Amino acid sequence: MDFTMTLYLRHYWKDERLSFTSTTNKSMTFDGRLVKKIWVPDVFFVHSKRSFIHDTTTENIMLRVFPDGHVLYSLRVTVTAACNMDFSRFPLDSQSCSLELESYAYTDEDLMLYWKSGDESLSIDDKISLSQFLIQKFHTTSRLAFYSSTGWYNRLYINFTLRRHIFFFLLQTYFPATLMVMLSWVSFWIDRRAVPARVSLGITTVLTMSTIITGLNASMPRVSYIKAVDIYLWVSFVFVFLSVLEYAAVNYLTTVQERRERKLRDRAVREQSLPCACGMSHTRTMMLDGTYSEADTNSLAGYTEAPMVPEEVVPEKQEHMVVHLSMSSESTNTKKKGIRGLRIMQNTHAIDKYSRMIFPGAYVIFNLIYWSVYC
C-alpha cells in the first residue's frame, strides 16, 4: 500500500565559506535561485514512488544564511511512498509506516545525517485527520544502511502508527452480516409445511451475504492470506447456509414420515374391511337395525350374535340386532405403529426447536471469541 505526505523539509548545516560580517548579526534570506550556486545536501526519499516540490506561485524553497556560516534550507515537498501493511487483522488493525531519508552520493564518512532535536524535530499539525485512520504517534530514528557496491550511508526515519477506524466497517459490514444471520433464524419459527416462505427466506439471506462479501473484497487489495473480516463474514455465511440445509433436512424427513404414515393408514383401512375375524382376542358390540336382511347379517362372518334386545328397553320401534365386533391383534399393532410414526413426525418438528437454541447460542459464542481475540 502507499501513503502520501506533504511536509516542510528543513536542513541545517554549517558552511564557513558562506559566513559574512554583520554588525547587527542578522541572517540573510534568499529564494531558490541561490540554491543552484551553493552546496546543498543531496537528500532523497527511500522507497519513494513519486515526489515533487511545490511551485505555486513560485518554487517553495527558502535559503537562510547566518553570519557565522550556518545555513537553513527549507522546502515544501509532497511524497508518495510505499508502506508494507499487514491486513491479517483488517479492519481491526494498526499499521506502522515510515518515511526514510538518505544521502544519495555521500557515505557516512563524507556526510553525517542526524535529527537536530530527536522526536521534537517533528512538528505535526493537530488539525490533521484521516477518514479511515487515527494517527497515534510520530517518532524519529536513525541508523546505517549498507549497499554492497557503495558502502554505508546514514538513514533517517520518520515513523508513525495508524489505527483504523472501526465504526465505518461496523455499519457497512459487521452489522448487515449479523442481521442476515439473525434473519435466517426466522425460518425456524415458520411452519415446516410453508415451503415457499422458508426457501425464499433462505435463498435471500444467502445471496445477501454473497453480495456483502463480494462488495468488500472489491475494495480491498488482493492478498493471499485470510483477513479478520473474512473470518467473520465466512462464518456468518456458513450459519446462513446451514439454516437452509436445516430446512432441507426437516422437509425431507417430514416427507418420508408422511409417506410412511400414509402407507400405514392405507394398510389399516384394508385390514378393517376384510370379513375374516380369525384369531379375535377382543370383542366389541355393534348395533344393527332390524331393517338389515338375514343375508346381510350372515355376511358378517366371525361376529358373535347376541340375543335380541327387548322392545321395552329400546325406545325405537324397529328391532335391533346386537353384534359383537372383534378387533384382531393385527389392528392393535397397526395402531401402535401409527402412534410411533406420529411421534417420529413430531421429532422432525423438534429439529426446528433445537435449532432455535443451537444456532443463536453458537453464533453468540463465536462473536465472543472473535471480538476477544481481535479487539
Side-chain angles (χ1 to χ4, degrees):
M1 293 294 291
D2 302 337
F3 68 91
T4 302
M5 180 186 295
T6 299
L7 66 153
Y8 295 91
L9 185 60
R10 297 185 175 95
H11 307 74
Y12 296 91
W13 73 91
K14 184 177 181 179
D15 191 346
E16 295 181 353
R17 296 173 298 178
L18 299 177
S19 61
F20 61 93
T21 303
S22 175
T23 56
T24 59
N25 198 26
K26 290 184 178 181
S27 61
M28 299 178 62
T29 303
F30 305 93
D31 57 18
R33 291 176 294 178
L34 185 62
V35 174
K36 300 178 181 178
K37 299 180 180 180
I38 65 173
W39 179 89
V40 294
D42 58 342
V43 175
F44 76 104
F45 296 99
V46 184
H47 307 306
S48 171
K49 294 186 175 181
R50 189 173 68 92
S51 59
F52 62 92
I53 299 174
H54 291 261
D55 56 359
T56 306
T57 55
T58 59
E59 284 188 329
N60 297 171
I61 297 176
M62 182 197 71
L63 184 68
R64 184 171 294 172
V65 181
F66 294 88
D68 59 354
H70 281 87
V71 180
L72 167 61
Y73 174 48
S74 176
L75 65 159
R76 181 169 174 249
V77 60
T78 295
V79 57
T80 300
C83 178
N84 295 324
M85 295 186 178
D86 182 15
F87 293 100
S88 59
R89 298 177 64 90
F90 176 87
L92 306 168
D93 58 335
S94 295
Q95 304 294 342
S96 296
C97 301
S98 62
L99 185 64
E100 305 172 11
L101 297 88
E102 183 182 306
S103 173
Y104 189 81
Y106 301 103
T107 64
D108 63 331
E109 297 178 354
D110 301 323
L111 179 64
M112 178 67 69
L113 295 178
Y114 61 93
W115 295 105
K116 184 179 180 181
S117 303
D119 289 344
E120 296 180 357
S121 301
L122 296 178
S123 180
I124 308 168
D125 188 357
D126 295 334
K127 297 181 180 179
I128 293 178
S129 62
L130 302 177
S131 59
Q132 290 193 31
F133 292 95
L134 173 66
I135 303 176
Q136 289 188 328
K137 61 179 180 179
F138 277 86
H139 66 279
T140 62
T141 55
S142 61
R143 63 187 66 154
L144 292 175
F146 176 74
Y147 298 92
S148 59
S149 57
T150 55
W152 295 88
Y153 294 82
N154 288 110
R155 181 176 295 181
L156 304 180
Y157 294 83
I158 303 175
N159 304 303
F160 54 95
T161 303
L162 304 174
R163 182 169 182 81
R164 197 181 303 272
H165 293 299
I166 186 61
F167 188 71
F168 171 80
F169 296 96
L170 286 177
L171 292 180
Q172 299 296 325
T173 304
Y174 287 96
F175 190 61
T178 303
L179 285 182
M180 287 300 104
V181 176
M182 297 175 65
L183 184 61
S184 66
W185 300 339
V186 175
S187 63
F188 302 150
W189 278 267
I190 300 177
D191 187 3
R192 65 181 183 275
R193 289 179 292 272
V195 178
R198 296 189 65 164
V199 171
S200 60
L201 180 60
I203 293 177
T204 300
T205 52
V206 169
L207 293 180
T208 304
M209 284 300 304
S210 301
T211 303
I212 294 175
I213 295 174
T214 304
L216 179 67
N217 291 332
S219 60
M220 285 294 299
R222 291 175 176 84
V223 294
S224 59
Y225 49 85
I226 299 176
K227 304 181 289 292
V229 68
D230 293 335
I231 296 176
Y232 192 90
L233 291 180
W234 279 106
V235 170
S236 300
F237 183 84
V238 169
F239 271 91
V240 172
F241 189 72
L242 287 179
S243 66
V244 178
L245 294 183
E246 184 269 348
Y247 176 63
V250 170
N251 185 59
Y252 173 76
L253 293 177
T254 302
T255 304
V256 170
Q257 296 305 325
E258 286 181 349
R259 188 181 301 117
R260 185 180 303 173
E261 279 292 309
R262 194 179 303 112
K263 291 181 179 179
L264 293 175
R265 196 163 46 246
D266 294 342
R267 185 185 304 171
V269 171
R270 287 195 301 268
E271 291 177 354
Q272 290 178 3
S273 62
L274 294 176
C276 179
C278 304
M280 291 182 178
S281 58
H282 305 284
T283 60
R284 292 187 181 181
T285 304
M286 184 178 72
M287 300 290 295
L288 295 179
D289 291 339
T291 55
Y292 286 90
S293 63
E294 185 177 357
D296 293 331
T297 56
N298 290 334
S299 64
L300 297 175
Y303 295 141
T304 306
E305 183 175 337
M308 295 296 296
V309 179
E311 189 175 355
E312 294 82 15
V313 178
V314 181
E316 290 83 355
K317 293 183 179 180
Q318 297 178 350
E319 292 184 349
H320 290 76
M321 181 184 297
V322 180
V323 179
H324 295 284
L325 179 63
S326 300
M327 297 294 294
S328 66
S329 59
E330 291 180 82
S331 301
T332 306
N333 293 334
T334 303
K335 273 193 172 183
K336 291 181 180 180
K337 291 180 181 180
I339 295 174
R340 190 180 303 111
L342 183 59
R343 289 176 181 173
I344 295 175
M345 289 185 62
Q346 291 176 351
N347 291 334
T348 59
H349 180 64
I351 297 178
D352 281 340
K353 293 182 180 179
Y354 294 140
S355 299
R356 295 169 192 173
M357 297 181 294
I358 294 175
F359 274 74
Y363 196 67
V364 168
I365 293 174
F366 162 71
N367 275 272
L368 292 176
I369 296 175
Y370 179 88
W371 294 108
S372 62
V373 169
Y374 287 102
C375 285

